[in-house]
Amino acid sequence: MIFILASARDVHARRVSDVLNNHGHQVTIFDAGLLGNGSTLSYPLGETPIIVLSSGQTVSFDRATCIWYRRPRLGHVAEHIRNPAVRNFCRQEWANLLEGLFLNSDARFVNPMLAEYAAVKPRQLHVAREVGWAIPDTLITSDKDHASTFIQKHHGRVIHKAMTAPRDRLIDTRVWDEGDRPALKALTFAPTIFQEMICGPMDLRITVVGQRVFTARILTDRSRAGIDSRMDMDASYEPYELPDQIHERILAFMAAMGLVYGTIDLKLTPEGEYVFLEVNPQGQFLYVEILTGMPIASAMADLLAHGADQSPPQASVNGSLSDLIRQS
């Protein structure tokens, strides 16, 4: 049995589940956000954890062969609990139980949980440099004076971005503007990443699934979105073949991070240098599949069913992806 930890509305979970079902594999999408909202979880140590859904259906993890840690949610905290400290306590209790349950599991994980925890941006950039990537000059700071000095060092040619992604909104990467300077005083509340701006004719969106590497190029010199190509819904995505050396470096980076899945963003400079920007171990790939025809969902299904060391079968994309997106 393959478990996918995600909301039932997650289109990536549903797409990969469909592929697995079509190939005769048993798969369950489990949304931990249902717990505390009519569903219960019991974990007798040394025995099988048992979830009873509000429908009365029982979900048991004893048959789990692989668990995709797609975008799991914590248990639900009832709305009538208003006290912030109590709400935070409830969230911590759910996190402690669920993470302990999964860490104790003998199932194979995509990705290993401890590797996902370690895949924070400061760690990514450190490991990327160790395996040979060029990275932008970077400052992560909560000090407005240090930020000002960094901006001056690069003559204002700087981008700034968050280290994490909120569930309820998209925070885009932005080019520094002098009009942003009054906001630097807010750094004391939360640190921010500042990087030198790397210019070039294209971005590369690379989806790594086990040992398979799917690369799409985005022609940013034709994009209306500026530094963040995600902001241009009409941006051109095309399959792109990486040089062997870069392909090997990507796999070496993933191995050093302990990840078997992730989406990597690179920048290709006019001089032909590949610059590492970041990896997202829960990154989106369906839009890349739709725009390029690369069979990423099938590769993910194969990884979940057989592991990273199996030779993947050749697969093609069927025409249901756009319909799946529209249904969500």
Side-chain angles (χ1 to χ4, degrees), residues 148-191:
S148 293
T149 299
F150 184 84
I151 293 164
Q152 183 178 4
K153 171 185 175 182
H154 292 285
H155 309 288
R157 295 183 60 77
V158 168
I159 62 95
H160 51 96
K161 60 184 180 180
M163 281 184 284
T164 60
R167 296 273 181 171
D168 61 339
R169 71 191 71 179
L170 173 65
I171 297 182
D172 57 319
T173 298
R174 298 189 180 185
V175 178
W176 171 257
D177 185 281
E178 276 302 311
D180 299 329
R181 190 167 292 277
L184 290 180
K185 62 184 179 182
L187 285 175
T188 187
F189 300 116

Coordinates of all heavy atoms in Angstrom, one line a residue, residues 148-191:
S148 N 21.5 47.1 4.3 CA 21.8 48.4 3.6 C 23.3 48.3 3.0 O 23.5 48.7 1.8 CB 21.7 49.6 4.5 OG 20.4 49.8 4.8
T149 N 24.2 47.8 3.8 CA 25.6 47.6 3.3 C 25.7 46.7 2.2 O 26.4 46.9 1.2 CB 26.5 47.2 4.5 OG1 26.4 48.1 5.5 CG2 27.9 47.0 4.0
F150 N 24.9 45.6 2.3 CA 24.9 44.6 1.2 C 24.3 45.1 -0.1 O 24.9 44.9 -1.2 CB 24.1 43.3 1.6 CG 24.1 42.2 0.6 CD1 25.1 41.3 0.6 CD2 23.0 42.0 -0.2 CE1 25.1 40.2 -0.3 CE2 23.0 41.0 -1.1 CZ 24.1 40.1 -1.2
I151 N 23.2 45.9 0.0 CA 22.6 46.5 -1.1 C 23.5 47.5 -1.8 O 23.7 47.6 -3.0 CB 21.3 47.2 -0.7 CG1 20.3 46.1 -0.3 CG2 20.7 48.0 -1.8 CD1 19.1 46.7 0.5
Q152 N 24.2 48.3 -1.0 CA 25.2 49.2 -1.5 C 26.4 48.5 -2.2 O 26.8 49.0 -3.3 CB 25.7 50.1 -0.4 CG 26.7 51.2 -0.8 CD 27.1 52.1 0.3 OE1 26.8 51.8 1.5 NE2 27.9 53.1 0.0
K153 N 26.8 47.4 -1.6 CA 27.9 46.6 -2.2 C 27.6 46.2 -3.6 O 28.5 46.2 -4.5 CB 28.2 45.4 -1.3 CG 29.1 44.4 -1.9 CD 29.2 43.1 -1.0 CE 30.1 42.0 -1.7 NZ 30.1 40.8 -0.8
H154 N 26.3 45.9 -3.9 CA 25.9 45.4 -5.2 C 25.2 46.5 -6.0 O 24.5 46.2 -7.0 CB 25.0 44.2 -5.1 CG 25.8 43.0 -4.6 ND1 26.6 42.3 -5.4 CD2 25.8 42.4 -3.4 CE1 27.1 41.3 -4.7 NE2 26.7 41.3 -3.5
H155 N 25.4 47.8 -5.6 CA 24.9 48.9 -6.3 C 23.3 48.8 -6.6 O 22.9 49.2 -7.6 CB 25.6 49.1 -7.6 CG 27.1 49.2 -7.5 ND1 27.8 50.2 -6.9 CD2 28.1 48.3 -7.8 CE1 29.1 50.0 -6.9 NE2 29.3 48.8 -7.4
G156 N 22.7 48.2 -5.6 CA 21.2 48.1 -5.7 C 20.7 47.0 -6.6 O 19.5 46.7 -6.6
R157 N 21.6 46.2 -7.2 CA 21.2 45.1 -8.1 C 21.1 43.8 -7.2 O 22.0 43.0 -7.2 CB 22.2 44.9 -9.2 CG 22.2 46.1 -10.2 CD 23.2 45.8 -11.4 NE 22.8 44.6 -12.1 CZ 21.8 44.6 -13.0 NH1 21.1 45.7 -13.2 NH2 21.6 43.5 -13.7
V158 N 20.0 43.8 -6.5 CA 19.8 42.8 -5.4 C 18.4 42.3 -5.5 O 17.4 43.1 -5.8 CB 20.1 43.4 -4.0 CG1 19.6 42.5 -2.9 CG2 21.6 43.7 -3.9
I159 N 18.2 41.1 -5.2 CA 16.8 40.5 -5.0 C 16.6 40.2 -3.5 O 17.6 40.0 -2.8 CB 16.5 39.3 -5.9 CG1 17.4 38.1 -5.6 CG2 16.7 39.7 -7.4 CD1 16.8 37.1 -4.6
H160 N 15.3 40.1 -3.1 CA 15.0 39.7 -1.7 C 13.9 38.7 -1.8 O 12.9 38.9 -2.6 CB 14.8 40.9 -0.8 CG 13.8 41.9 -1.3 ND1 12.5 41.8 -0.9 CD2 13.9 42.9 -2.1 CE1 11.8 42.8 -1.5 NE2 12.6 43.5 -2.2
K161 N 13.9 37.7 -0.9 CA 12.9 36.7 -0.9 C 12.8 36.1 0.5 O 13.7 36.2 1.3 CB 13.2 35.6 -1.9 CG 14.5 34.9 -1.7 CD 14.7 33.9 -2.9 CE 16.0 33.2 -2.7 NZ 16.2 32.2 -3.9
A162 N 11.7 35.4 0.8 CA 11.5 34.7 2.0 C 12.2 33.4 2.0 O 12.5 32.8 1.0 CB 10.0 34.5 2.3
M163 N 12.5 32.9 3.2 CA 13.1 31.5 3.3 C 12.0 30.4 3.3 O 12.4 29.3 3.0 CB 13.9 31.4 4.6 CG 15.2 32.1 4.6 SD 16.2 31.9 6.1 CE 15.4 33.0 7.2
T164 N 10.8 30.7 3.6 CA 9.7 29.7 3.7 C 8.6 30.2 2.8 O 8.5 31.4 2.4 CB 9.3 29.4 5.1 OG1 8.8 30.6 5.7 CG2 10.4 28.9 5.9
A165 N 7.6 29.3 2.6 CA 6.4 29.6 1.8 C 5.2 29.4 2.6 O 4.9 28.3 3.0 CB 6.4 28.8 0.5
P166 N 4.5 30.5 2.9 CA 3.2 30.3 3.6 C 2.2 29.5 2.8 O 2.3 29.5 1.6 CB 2.7 31.8 3.8 CG 3.8 32.7 3.6 CD 4.7 31.9 2.6
R167 N 1.3 28.8 3.6 CA 0.4 27.9 2.9 C -0.7 28.7 2.2 O -1.3 28.3 1.2 CB -0.3 27.0 3.9 CG 0.6 26.0 4.6 CD 0.8 24.8 3.8 NE 1.7 23.8 4.5 CZ 1.8 22.6 4.1 NH1 1.1 22.1 3.0 NH2 2.7 21.8 4.7
D168 N -1.0 30.0 2.6 CA -2.1 30.7 2.2 C -1.8 31.8 1.1 O -2.7 32.5 0.6 CB -2.9 31.4 3.3 CG -2.0 32.4 4.0 OD1 -0.7 32.3 3.9 OD2 -2.5 33.3 4.7
R169 N -0.6 31.9 0.7 CA -0.2 32.9 -0.3 C 1.1 32.6 -1.0 O 1.9 31.8 -0.5 CB -0.2 34.3 0.4 CG 1.0 34.5 1.3 CD 0.9 35.7 2.1 NE -0.1 35.6 3.1 CZ -0.4 36.5 4.0 NH1 0.2 37.7 4.0 NH2 -1.3 36.3 4.9
L170 N 1.3 33.2 -2.1 CA 2.6 33.1 -2.8 C 3.4 34.4 -2.6 O 2.9 35.5 -2.8 CB 2.3 33.0 -4.3 CG 3.6 33.0 -5.2 CD1 4.5 31.9 -4.9 CD2 3.2 33.1 -6.7
I171 N 4.6 34.2 -2.0 CA 5.5 35.3 -1.8 C 6.5 35.3 -2.9 O 7.3 34.4 -3.0 CB 6.1 35.3 -0.4 CG1 5.1 35.4 0.7 CG2 7.1 36.4 -0.3 CD1 5.6 35.5 2.1
D172 N 6.5 36.2 -3.9 CA 7.4 36.2 -5.0 C 8.7 36.8 -4.6 O 8.9 37.4 -3.6 CB 6.7 36.9 -6.2 CG 6.4 38.4 -5.9 OD1 5.9 38.6 -4.7 OD2 6.7 39.3 -6.7
T173 N 9.7 36.4 -5.5 CA 11.0 37.0 -5.4 C 11.0 38.4 -6.0 O 10.4 38.5 -7.1 CB 12.0 36.1 -6.1 OG1 12.1 34.9 -5.4 CG2 13.4 36.7 -6.1
R174 N 11.5 39.4 -5.4 CA 11.4 40.8 -5.9 C 12.8 41.4 -6.0 O 13.7 41.1 -5.3 CB 10.6 41.6 -4.9 CG 9.1 41.1 -4.9 CD 8.2 42.0 -4.1 NE 6.9 41.5 -4.0 CZ 5.8 42.2 -3.5 NH1 6.0 43.4 -3.0 NH2 4.6 41.6 -3.5
V175 N 12.9 42.3 -7.0 CA 14.1 43.1 -7.2 C 14.0 44.3 -6.2 O 13.0 44.9 -6.0 CB 14.1 43.6 -8.7 CG1 15.4 44.5 -8.9 CG2 14.2 42.4 -9.6
W176 N 15.2 44.6 -5.7 CA 15.3 45.7 -4.7 C 14.9 47.0 -5.4 O 15.3 47.3 -6.6 CB 16.7 45.8 -4.2 CG 16.9 47.1 -3.4 CD1 17.5 48.2 -3.8 CD2 16.4 47.3 -2.1 NE1 17.5 49.2 -2.8 CE2 16.8 48.7 -1.7 CE3 15.7 46.6 -1.2 CZ2 16.5 49.2 -0.5 CZ3 15.4 47.2 0.1 CH2 15.8 48.5 0.4
D177 N 14.1 47.8 -4.7 CA 13.7 49.1 -5.2 C 13.9 50.0 -4.0 O 13.6 49.7 -2.8 CB 12.2 49.1 -5.6 CG 11.8 50.4 -6.2 OD1 11.5 51.3 -5.4 OD2 11.7 50.5 -7.4
E178 N 14.4 51.2 -4.3 CA 14.7 52.1 -3.2 C 13.4 52.5 -2.4 O 13.5 52.9 -1.2 CB 15.3 53.4 -3.7 CG 16.8 53.3 -3.9 CD 17.6 53.0 -2.6 OE1 17.3 53.6 -1.5 OE2 18.4 52.0 -2.6
G179 N 12.3 52.3 -3.0 CA 11.0 52.5 -2.3 C 10.8 51.5 -1.2 O 10.0 51.7 -0.3
D180 N 11.6 50.4 -1.2 CA 11.4 49.4 -0.2 C 12.2 49.7 1.1 O 12.1 49.0 2.1 CB 12.0 48.0 -0.7 CG 11.2 47.5 -1.9 OD1 10.0 47.8 -2.0 OD2 11.8 46.8 -2.8
R181 N 13.1 50.7 1.0 CA 14.0 51.0 2.1 C 13.3 51.1 3.5 O 13.8 50.6 4.5 CB 14.9 52.2 1.8 CG 16.1 52.3 2.8 CD 17.1 53.3 2.3 NE 17.8 52.8 1.1 CZ 18.9 52.0 1.2 NH1 19.3 51.6 2.4 NH2 19.5 51.6 0.1
P182 N 12.2 51.9 3.6 CA 11.5 52.0 4.9 C 11.2 50.6 5.5 O 11.1 50.5 6.7 CB 10.3 52.8 4.6 CG 10.7 53.6 3.4 CD 11.5 52.7 2.5
A183 N 11.0 49.6 4.6 CA 10.6 48.3 5.1 C 11.7 47.6 5.8 O 11.5 46.6 6.5 CB 10.0 47.5 4.0
L184 N 12.9 48.0 5.6 CA 14.1 47.3 6.2 C 14.0 47.3 7.7 O 14.5 46.4 8.4 CB 15.4 48.0 5.8 CG 15.8 47.8 4.3 CD1 17.1 48.5 4.1 CD2 15.9 46.3 3.9
K185 N 13.4 48.3 8.3 CA 13.2 48.3 9.8 C 12.4 47.2 10.3 O 12.5 46.8 11.5 CB 12.6 49.7 10.2 CG 11.2 49.9 9.8 CD 10.7 51.3 10.2 CE 9.3 51.6 9.7 NZ 8.8 52.9 10.1
A186 N 11.6 46.5 9.4 CA 10.8 45.4 9.8 C 11.6 44.1 9.9 O 11.1 43.1 10.3 CB 9.6 45.2 8.9
L187 N 12.9 44.1 9.4 CA 13.7 42.9 9.4 C 13.9 42.4 10.8 O 14.1 41.2 11.0 CB 15.1 43.2 8.8 CG 15.1 43.3 7.3 CD1 16.6 43.8 6.9 CD2 14.8 42.0 6.6
T188 N 13.8 43.3 11.8 CA 13.9 42.8 13.2 C 12.9 41.8 13.6 O 13.1 41.0 14.5 CB 13.9 44.0 14.2 OG1 14.2 43.6 15.5 CG2 12.5 44.6 14.2
F189 N 11.8 41.8 12.9 CA 10.7 40.8 13.2 C 10.9 39.4 12.6 O 10.5 38.4 13.1 CB 9.3 41.3 12.8 CG 9.0 42.6 13.4 CD1 8.8 43.8 12.7 CD2 8.8 42.7 14.8 CE1 8.5 45.0 13.3 CE2 8.5 43.9 15.4 CZ 8.3 45.1 14.6
A190 N 11.6 39.4 11.4 CA 11.9 38.2 10.7 C 13.0 38.4 9.7 O 13.0 39.4 8.9 CB 10.6 37.7 10.0
P191 N 14.0 37.5 9.7 CA 15.1 37.6 8.7 C 14.6 37.4 7.3 O 13.6 36.7 7.0 CB 16.1 36.6 9.2 CG 15.2 35.5 9.8 CD 14.1 36.3 10.5

